């Protein structure tokens, strides 16, 4: 009988959704029945995700300041009791630095609801903030994800009962630093969101209002206003057809001037324009990226520190 798997993901600008789709497809190719859903859809319906029918579930998110965005925790806290159901998680990050950050907090949130994480995977994708990755390299990252999901899907179907869980414990120092970053980012996102503004180019098409994951953009007669729930996911900024949504000045360094749209990156017709653009080398980004791309079998142990843990040794 085919195995039923549910995958829920949050994706601000499309990278995680893409990885989720690739994983779902690879699992279906191996005979599993897979249902995919967006975390914001569950939360916006004020409901919870009924996980009872699934043998395993997958949960995916983009890394924000070494952690999962706030909306993912809201979702995890609302999961129905898991009664030990096995979970695999996957996250997309713009940089393999620190392996996308410690995963103990998400693991703990899942454990509190009765779920057991048996596998965690990091996918490096083009950053949607700070560093503009040349299209040609971005396409290689997508291809790498396409290749990696094949082995990961086989492992997901085989791994849940294996002796070793494919998860890592992070060094204490990293956990503390990541916690400080994540807390500041979450608060910073709320504050920043309040100060986004819309220029006169806005045509009031309402796309941002309709698509903002936490429903933080409001139409007030002939203008848009922002509430306190921003996740800094960047969706509104990059989907605005008029590029009329602007951050407060102190955050403008984050936004990619050329925008971010995975669909146009995947269209190789756009490659030639930036064939010659080098990968930015700041803070070792280029070296880490090349290592990720060149490793035939990228696994958690290949990145900075971290070691696979045996069942029983895991934390939590
Ligand atoms: C507010 C914010 C914080 C981010 N922080 C990190 C980070 O700490 N480490 C990292 O590697 N990438 C970081 N990124 C980049 C994203 O994780 C990455 O581009 C991801 O693939 C985006 O996925 P999405 O398109 O599904 O939203 C951050 C992005 C945003 C918007």
């Amino acid at each position: 009988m085919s195995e039923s798997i549910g995958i829920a993901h949050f994706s601000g600008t499309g990278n995680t959704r893409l990885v989720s789709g690739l994983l779902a497809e690879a699992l279906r190719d191996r005979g599993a029945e897979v249902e995919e859903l967006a975390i914001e859809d569950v939360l916006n319906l004020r409901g919870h995700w009924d996980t009872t029918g699934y043998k395993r579930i997958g949960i995916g998110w983009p890394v924000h300041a070494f952690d999962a965005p706030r909306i993912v925790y809201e979702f995890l806290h609302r999961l129905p009791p898991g009664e030990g159901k096995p979970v695999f998680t996957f996250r997309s990050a713009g940089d393999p630095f620190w392996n996308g950050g410690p995963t103990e907090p998400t693991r703990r949130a899942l454990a509190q609801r009765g779920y057991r994480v048996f596998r965690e995977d990091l996918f490096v994708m083009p950053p949607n903030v700070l560093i503009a990755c040349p299209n040609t390299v971005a396409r290689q990252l997508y291809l790498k994800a396409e290749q990696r999901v094949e082995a990961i899907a086989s492992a997901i179907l085989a791994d849940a009962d294996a002796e070793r869980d494919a998860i890592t414990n992070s060094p204490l120092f990293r956990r503390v630093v990541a916690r400080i970053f994540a807390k500041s980012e979450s608060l910073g996102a709320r504050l920043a969101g309040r100060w986004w503004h819309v220029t006169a180019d806005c045509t009031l098409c309402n796309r941002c209002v309709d698509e903002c994951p936490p429903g933080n953009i409001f139409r007030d007669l002939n203008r848009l206003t922002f509430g306190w729930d921003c996740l800094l996911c960047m969706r509104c900024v990059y989907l605005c057809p008029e590029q009329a949504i602007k951050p407060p000045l102190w955050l403008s360094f984050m936004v990619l001037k050329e925008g971010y749209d995975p669909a146009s990156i995947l269209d190789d017709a756009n490659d030639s324009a930036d064939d010659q653009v080098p990968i930015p080398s700041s803070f070792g980004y280029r070296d880490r990226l090349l290592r990720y791309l060149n490793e035939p079998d990228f696994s958690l142990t290949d990145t900075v520190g971290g070691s696979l843990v045996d069942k029983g040794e895991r934390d939590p």
Side-chain angles (χ1 to χ4, degrees), residues 65-80:
F66 301 120
D67 201 351
R70 204 173 61 241
I71 193 171
V72 175
Y73 285 100
E74 286 166 19
F75 177 75
L76 298 183
H77 293 320
R78 285 215 212 164
L79 283 175

Side-chain angles (χ1 to χ4, degrees), residues 10-17 61-67 92-97 100 123-129 185 231-234 254 260 262:
F10 172 66
S11 180
T13 58
N15 283 349
T16 316
R17 186 171 56 243
W61 61 84
V63 171
H64 281 190
F66 301 120
D67 201 351
S92 77
D95 187 332
F97 182 66
F123 289 83
V124 182
M125 298 297 264
N128 58 0
V129 285
E185 191 264 351
L231 298 166
L232 220 55
C233 75
M234 311 304 283
M254 272 186 74
Y260 186 75

Side-chain angles (χ1 to χ4, degrees), residues 24-42:
E25 206 178 300
L27 288 163
R28 285 188 194 111
D29 287 348
R30 286 158 179 76
E33 263 177 47
V34 185
E35 277 177 0
E36 269 190 282
L37 66 116
I39 282 178
E40 74 220 52
D41 290 345
V42 179

